[in-house]
């Protein structure tokens, strides 16, 4: 018999979220789908709430923290923006993003995670755009528009393909270039 790991349970949770939403994240569904006992579940998780917290934490780390940390290794606006686009489109899973946002509408734990994730992502975008403009209000506005595009594009059915997403984001970035007042470091040769 194959041993289950915590990641096996979390991966199955994401599959369930995509197919049936948070209501399907029951211990019974998880054990039935994985053909494991409840004892196996409780070996890895203290409770259903503990499972939810670990599932949301894993998603936060993979879809937010890791992407931000890797992108921060770049030092220029163009470098950060390119790395962010590469990583976020590579890891993009609109079905999970939509399912977790729907879950956050009904569940206080999921809502707290979603609020924190949105804040982390938005703050990172604001820091990135601050490299491009010396005007904090512009950085704030552009970050808001960029993040709303990211979230909104995932709500479309069918989802945008990678090429279309990149094309539209490119047009949006060109629009930002027209709007932005360059920061002093952007103006210097």
């Amino acid at each position: 018999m194959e041993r289950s790991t915590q990641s096996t349970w979390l991966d199955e949770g994401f599959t369930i979220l995509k197919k049936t939403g948070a209501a399907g994240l029951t211990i019974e569904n998880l054990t039935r789908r994985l053909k494991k006992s409840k004892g196996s579940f409780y070996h890895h998780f203290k409770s259903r709430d503990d499972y939810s917290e670990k599932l949301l934490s894993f998603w936060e780390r993979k879809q937010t923290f890791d992407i931000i940390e890797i992108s921060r290794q770049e030092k220029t606006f163009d470098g950060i923006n390119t790395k962010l686009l590469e990583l976020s489109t590579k890891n993009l899973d609109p079905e999970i993003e939509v399912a977790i946002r729907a879950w956050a509408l009904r569940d206080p734990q999921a809502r707290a995670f979603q609020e924190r994730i949105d804040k982390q992502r938005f703050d990172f975008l604001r820091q990135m755009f601050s490299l491009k403009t010396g005007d904090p209000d512009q950085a704030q506005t552009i970050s808001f528009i960029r993040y709303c595009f990211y979230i909104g594009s995932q709500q479309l059915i069918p989802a945008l393909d990678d090429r279309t997403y990149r094309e539209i984001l490119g047009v949006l970035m060109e629009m930002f270039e027209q709007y932005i007042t360059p920061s002093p470091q952007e103006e210097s040769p």
Side-chain angles (χ1 to χ4, degrees):
M1 179 181 250
E2 181 183 320
R3 283 183 54 88
S4 64
T5 63
Q6 193 174 78
S7 65
T8 304
W9 291 96
L10 297 177
D11 289 343
E12 191 58 36
F14 289 123
T15 300
I16 291 171
L17 270 174
K18 283 182 183 185
K19 290 183 178 183
T20 64
L25 282 177
T26 64
I27 296 170
E28 291 74 22
N29 278 347
L30 286 160
T31 55
R32 182 177 37 75
R33 290 175 59 90
L34 290 172
K35 297 179 175 58
K36 301 291 181 188
S37 68
K38 285 186 180 181
S40 178
F41 175 88
Y42 287 112
H43 174 76
H44 297 287
F45 309 99
K46 296 177 202 159
S47 64
R48 165 58 168 73
D49 285 343
D50 180 51
Y51 175 79
S52 295
E53 183 175 340
K54 286 185 169 64
L55 185 70
L56 290 163
S57 292
F58 179 77
W59 176 71
E60 177 182 25
R61 187 176 57 253
K62 180 181 172 216
Q63 293 300 108
T64 302
F65 184 76
D66 289 352
I67 290 171
I68 288 172
E69 288 307 303
I70 292 169
S71 297
R72 275 193 176 129
Q73 293 172 8
E74 300 293 327
K75 301 301 178 206
T76 65
F77 171 83
D78 289 336
I80 294 168
N81 189 45
T82 299
K83 184 59 77 174
L84 176 62
L85 179 59
E86 172 192 322
L87 294 171
S88 60
T89 53
K90 176 181 154 199
N91 290 341
L92 187 65
D93 192 336
E95 292 173 295
I96 295 291
E97 286 274 346
V98 169
I100 290 177
R101 284 185 183 283
W103 185 10
L105 294 172
R106 294 174 202 81
D107 181 90
Q109 182 185 38
R111 182 181 198 86
F113 269 87
Q114 188 63 66
E115 285 176 359
R116 185 174 63 238
I117 288 164
D118 283 343
K119 182 177 182 338
Q120 289 171 18
R121 290 172 174 178
F122 183 79
D123 287 348
F124 178 71
L125 285 171
R126 192 172 32 75
Q127 291 167 10
M128 181 183 81
F129 280 109
S130 292
L131 295 172
K132 195 76 170 162
T133 178
D135 183 338
D137 291 336
Q138 282 186 343
Q140 180 95 355
T141 300
I142 293 168
S143 299
F144 185 73
I145 294 167
R146 169 86 176 258
Y147 194 53
C148 286
F149 171 69
Y150 175 76
I151 298 305
S153 68
Q154 296 174 44
Q155 303 294 318
L156 296 173
I157 298 173
L160 295 177
D161 60 71
D162 186 50
R163 184 188 60 76
T164 304
Y165 177 85
R166 286 175 181 268
E167 281 177 10
I168 294 170
L169 185 58
V171 170
L172 195 56
M173 294 303 291
E174 288 174 17
M175 292 167 65
F176 291 159
E177 288 289 336
Q178 300 301 312
Y179 173 75
I180 288 176
T181 303
S183 68
Q185 64 255 45
E186 283 286 318
E187 290 177 339
S188 59

